[in-house]
Amino acid sequence: MKQLRALAILVAVVAILLLVCAGPGTRLGLWHFRTGFTLLRWGAYLGIAGVILALIALVATRPRGGGLVALLVALALAGAAFVLPWRMAQQARRVPPIHDITTDTQNPPEFVAVLPLRADAPNPATYGGDSVAALQRQGYPDIRPLQLDVPPAEAFRRARAAAEAMDWEIVSADTAAGRLEATATTPWFGFKDDVVLRIRPEGTGSRVDVRSVSRVGRSDVGTNAKRIREFLSRLAAA
């Protein structure tokens, strides 16, 4: 019975290690991002196994003291190793399989300064057209331009401040053209997503359009839409 307990603990520890290492290893360039996803998947599989083994060990051995604590910790670790990737998979199913999100699907802001940085990126910088626009409208109907009751120069200043507050790396800031380009890095896997802002006069104020595009991956699991929402919320509150 001690062997069963030890096996449950070992499986749980390996599962959580796979989960913890998947993202940082990808961000540090130790392996391809697809390898990181594979580690997540196997961490989830081992997490399920760890939960089952820990539950069996709890019922079969009825441990007390340190043994009980160890199995409960193993159960928690194994559960986390399964639940976190499972939640990511569920989120991926809930959102459209696209990676290019913009507030203007008819005339999306274009990248200029960022293009050399995307030279080797699997995903193109050109917009995918009506098919992508239709999927975005279905999945993210709330992504729309922001109207500000200030002149374009002031809107640009506020937009840059909001971008910097979100830790985007500013690539180009052209006040006269009303275009700001930046690169945002996701915290765990370190994916590079490029953002372009376009600010134009509209009436007595300004219209702000945003576009956020992933360099890799067919689906962004909702990351670009979430980024645009946060940016526009910050800018509106400024």
Side-chain angles (χ1 to χ4, degrees):
M1 291 301 180
K2 288 184 178 181
Q3 290 84 350
L4 177 60
R5 187 187 310 167
L7 179 61
I9 295 170
L10 176 62
V11 170
V13 169
V14 173
I16 202 68
L17 284 177
L18 291 177
L19 173 70
V20 170
C21 293
T26 302
R27 184 173 186 140
L28 292 172
L30 300 180
W31 46 66
H32 193 271
F33 76 91
R34 297 191 187 280
T35 302
F37 288 161
T38 299
L39 294 177
L40 278 182
R41 185 167 60 252
W42 280 103
Y45 293 156
L46 288 176
I48 296 174
V51 167
I52 294 172
L53 288 171
L55 289 174
I56 293 174
L58 283 169
V59 173
T61 64
R62 299 185 182 276
R64 296 181 180 180
L68 176 60
V69 172
L71 278 177
L72 291 177
V73 170
L75 184 62
L77 292 177
F82 165 71
V83 169
L84 293 178
W86 178 79
R87 290 180 63 183
M88 291 175 62
Q90 293 302 305
Q91 171 67 10
R93 294 188 181 97
R94 284 194 296 267
V95 299
I98 54 178
H99 55 263
D100 191 340
I101 309 298
T102 177
T103 56
D104 188 346
T105 57
Q106 299 301 312
N107 182 28
E110 296 183 354
F111 291 103
V112 178
V114 158
L115 292 179
L117 303 178
R118 297 181 64 95
D120 299 326
N123 293 338
T126 53
Y127 191 64
D130 292 341
S131 59
V132 173
L135 287 171
Q136 178 183 312
R137 286 193 295 270
Q138 179 182 359
Y140 310 115
D142 61 309
I143 300 296
R144 298 177 180 177
L146 175 66
Q147 309 292 330
L148 292 178
D149 191 24
V150 295
E154 174 62 16
F156 190 91
R157 184 193 67 80
R158 295 183 185 183
R160 177 164 188 166
E164 291 174 343
M166 292 179 67
D167 293 326
W168 296 353
E169 180 182 352
I170 306 299
V171 177
S172 173
D174 189 337
T175 306
R179 185 178 62 248
L180 183 146
E181 297 177 64
T183 297
T185 303
T186 61
W188 191 19
F189 273 86
F191 290 131
K192 300 290 184 180
D193 300 336
D194 296 305
V195 186
V196 55
L197 313 179
R198 183 180 65 201
I199 300 175
R200 293 175 172 176
E202 186 164 285
T204 59
S206 305
R207 165 174 164 156
V208 181
D209 282 295
V210 191
R211 183 181 171 201
S212 185
V213 187
S214 302
R215 295 185 188 179
V216 299
R218 182 186 177 206
S219 172
D220 63 7
V221 198
T223 299
N224 288 299
K226 180 180 178 182
R227 177 180 297 118
I228 290 175
R229 289 191 191 104
E230 182 181 352
F231 171 79
L232 293 179
S233 177
R234 284 174 178 264
L235 185 55

